[in-house]
Amino acid sequence: MTQHLTPTAPHDLIGIGFGPSNLALAIALQERAEQGGRPFDALFLERQPDYSWHGNTLVAQSELQISFLKDLVTLRNPSSRFSFVNYLKAHGRLVDFINLGTFYPCRMEYNDYLRWVAQQFAEQSRYGEQVLRVEPIVDGDGRVQRLNVVSQHQGREVQRQTRSVIVSTGGTPKIPQAFASFKDDPRVFHHARYLSAMATQPCSRGEPMRIAVVGAGQSAAEAFIDLNDSYPNVQVDMILRAAVLKPADDSPFVNEIFGPDYTDLVFNQPETERERLIREYHNTNYSVVDLDLIERIYAMLYRQKVSGVERHGFLCRRMIESATDVDGRVQLQLRDLATGSTEARRYDAVILATGYERRSHRELLAPLKDYLDDFRVDRDYQLIARPELEAPVFIQGFSQHSHGLSDTLLSVLPARSGEIAAALEQRLEGVDQARPSVARRAVGRSLSA
């Protein structure tokens, strides 16, 4: 039975998604309030049942690709109690981590760090809620000073009013058109569901399988290695359009493009120049693999040549023309982009390490589209809107075209959260001054609504 629940007073802010981006924002808002800034009544809605950051991809050899110093806070506030270093201290592992001699923790530990931070914002978060849409609440003058956030929780529809919204829902798995007919088929799944999907495969019971991994990036490499290490009865083909696996460029000068100053540079460029800059540094983040993983895969394939037992295949320059069900297996029609020749190969399962799309903000905010300038954003990540929309709407992770490659990465979180927190305070202070009867409510009040 559908129910509609509406609280009596609006929140200052509702954050949609409680991944690293909104978690960093929750910290920034709290720290500003503790330093004498405006206290915010903020609530964050997360569709997952509990806190997990890419939990289905946390295989044993999965390591963070940026320094632990680029955590949620350190680049903005090095003395913050929410730092990764303080997390290590709180868990009695600071000396042990130092002894590792690395700047790159495994993703399993980083996920635990994020959970540790999220637990400190338990009163401001709700899990297991899928936000469906954000609607305008239009007053008699045609102004929109409040928004209605509609979510679903355990079969019930929940409505909450808010004076501002920030959408930080991350990417949506990209499924190539060739696999459209395999939607919801357990034999074909995106890498985002890797661990849970593999747990249902026959190889988890020790049965032999032939599996294809489609993709040429970090996720494809990690899946390829994990299948080799964890499932000895599995034969794996890595299928990629590129001629080779390309190493990620994380050299010092290139890494400067992920700093806050570079965001200013990109944003202030004409659109054509922005596109050029993004193309120039595309190999820092897309369809590239850490060099150590490339070397492991090459060594693995070389040992096969030595032994004469070719368990795995590396099928480069291949385009997948079609995917069909043939005799209970997934048949891929492959075209060699160099020679034009074609071949058909059959697999028991196909893993799509094919990246992510970032359009979910457009779907959630569709009821507001008549107020928005085609979802363009200003420098502080607020959507540009008509004057009638007085409730500010911010987005995180959807502005690569205007703010640069760092927009979808962890590196920018501390600076971006500080900028958005300052902008939120300024926007809502302006509304408060225009409407002095609006009462301020401090962070930490009961958020039972």
Side-chain angles (χ1 to χ4, degrees):
M1 176 178 172
T2 300
Q3 297 181 12
H4 299 267
L5 305 178
T6 305
T8 57
H11 297 283
D12 287 329
L13 168 70
I14 288 182
I16 303 175
F18 204 37
S21 293
N22 269 348
L23 191 53
L25 177 61
I27 296 171
L29 290 173
Q30 179 163 308
E31 291 185 341
R32 286 183 69 89
E34 292 171 350
Q35 295 164 7
R38 185 191 197 282
F40 272 81
D41 167 17
L43 180 66
F44 297 92
L45 306 178
E46 170 58 49
R47 67 179 178 179
Q48 295 187 101
D50 59 13
Y51 200 95
S52 181
W53 176 65
H54 297 306
N56 256 316
T57 67
L58 298 177
V59 295
Q61 68 280 346
S62 176
E63 292 184 348
L64 203 65
Q65 293 172 273
I66 64 171
S67 167
F68 70 88
L69 292 173
K70 293 184 176 182
D71 57 16
L72 298 173
V73 291
T74 296
L75 293 181
R76 176 179 56 80
N77 178 15
S79 62
S80 172
R81 67 181 184 278
F82 298 106
S83 70
F84 183 78
V85 170
N86 194 45
Y87 155 80
L88 292 173
K89 179 66 175 177
H91 287 76
R93 295 199 307 270
L94 181 56
V95 172
D96 297 327
F97 184 84
I98 292 172
N99 289 340
L100 283 176
T102 181
F103 277 84
Y104 307 101
C106 67
R107 282 193 225 168
M108 185 180 300
E109 183 172 36
Y110 203 76
N111 178 62
D112 191 58
Y113 158 63
L114 296 175
R115 287 175 63 93
W116 173 76
V117 175
Q119 288 167 0
Q120 300 178 61
F121 291 90
E123 291 187 0
Q124 292 177 250
S125 54
R126 298 290 179 271
Y127 293 91
E129 287 205 30
Q130 174 74 53
V131 175
L132 305 177
R133 60 191 178 275
V134 179
E135 302 170 333
I137 299 175
V138 185
D139 64 18
D141 298 325
R143 297 183 302 169
V144 179
Q145 297 177 333
R146 298 182 182 183
L147 301 169
N148 189 42
V149 178
V150 183
S151 62
Q152 189 173 55
H153 177 63
Q154 296 180 349
R156 300 181 306 166
E157 191 173 273
V158 182
Q159 298 188 22
R160 297 181 176 88
Q161 293 187 15
T162 181
R163 303 171 63 205
S164 63
V165 158
I166 183 160
V167 180
S168 308
T169 46
T172 304
K174 184 188 299 182
I175 308 298
Q177 184 60 36
F179 295 94
S181 62
F182 286 91
K183 183 180 180 181
D184 300 324
D185 190 312
R187 296 170 299 175
V188 178
F189 53 92
H190 195 272
H191 182 260
R193 299 196 300 112
Y194 178 75
L195 290 180
S196 61
M198 285 304 301
T200 67
Q201 300 299 322
C203 61
S204 66
R205 303 185 295 272
E207 299 177 25
M209 291 184 69
R210 184 165 184 166
I211 297 178
V213 176
V214 180
Q218 184 76 8
S219 296
E222 290 181 357
F224 186 85
I225 292 173
D226 185 68
L227 290 169
N228 175 78
D229 294 350
S230 303
Y231 302 97
N233 291 328
V234 167
Q235 290 181 288
V236 188
D237 284 347
M238 178 179 280
I239 303 174
L240 57 154
R241 290 174 60 96
V244 295
L245 290 177
K246 299 177 182 178
D249 188 345
D250 61 351
S251 55
F253 286 108
V254 169
N255 269 341
E256 289 189 350
I257 72 170
F258 301 123
D261 291 344
Y262 199 80
T263 301
D264 286 329
L265 185 149
V266 173
F267 186 83
N268 291 323
Q269 296 298 312
E271 187 170 346
T272 55
E273 181 62 13
R274 290 177 183 170
E275 293 174 356
R276 186 194 69 79
L277 290 171
I278 290 172
R279 286 196 306 270
E280 180 178 356
Y281 295 107
H282 196 265
N283 66 334
T284 61
N285 190 44
Y286 295 103
S287 297
V288 290
V289 182
D290 283 349
L291 182 59
D292 63 325
L293 294 190
I294 294 177
E295 292 171 343
R296 286 187 62 184
I297 291 173
Y298 192 88
M300 186 190 307
L301 297 174
Y302 179 78
R303 286 192 294 269
Q304 288 185 171
K305 294 179 180 179
V306 174
S307 68
V309 179
E310 295 189 7
R311 175 182 165 194
H312 305 313
F314 185 74
L315 309 181
C316 59
R317 304 185 311 271
R318 300 302 204 281
M319 180 178 71
I320 300 175
E321 294 188 328
S322 65
T324 55
D325 187 323
V326 178
D327 298 330
R329 305 181 80 193
V330 182
Q331 178 169 295
L332 303 184
Q333 189 72 21
L334 306 177
R335 176 177 296 276
D336 189 314
L337 295 174
T339 66
S341 62
T342 62
E343 63 175 324
R345 291 188 175 232
R346 296 182 185 178
Y347 298 95
D348 300 301
V350 178
I351 301 169
L352 302 175
T354 47
Y356 295 83
E357 298 175 317
R358 292 184 175 268
R359 295 184 55 84
S360 57
H361 64 303
R362 291 177 175 266
E363 298 168 3
L364 291 169
L365 300 173
L368 301 176
K369 65 179 181 180
D370 290 341
Y371 296 93
L372 302 174
D373 184 8
D374 194 27
F375 294 88
R376 293 195 307 122
V377 294
D378 60 18
R379 174 59 184 84
D380 58 15
Y381 305 93
Q382 182 178 347
L383 288 172
I384 298 171
R386 288 165 44 190
E388 297 94 317
L389 182 59
E390 297 181 9
V393 180
F394 294 80
I395 57 175
Q396 295 194 86
F398 300 101
S399 304
Q400 175 178 290
H401 63 286
S402 57
H403 287 66
L405 286 165
S406 63
D407 187 65
T408 63
L409 305 179
L410 296 174
S411 301
V412 77
L413 297 189
R416 184 172 67 195
S417 62
E419 292 166 1
I420 294 175
L424 269 167
E425 184 172 317
Q426 182 182 32
R427 303 295 191 276
L428 295 190
E429 284 285 358
V431 173
D432 286 348
Q433 291 171 6
R435 299 189 301 123
S437 61
V438 175
R440 298 182 183 178
R441 287 161 294 146
V443 170
R445 75 161 182 85
S446 173
L447 296 174
S448 58

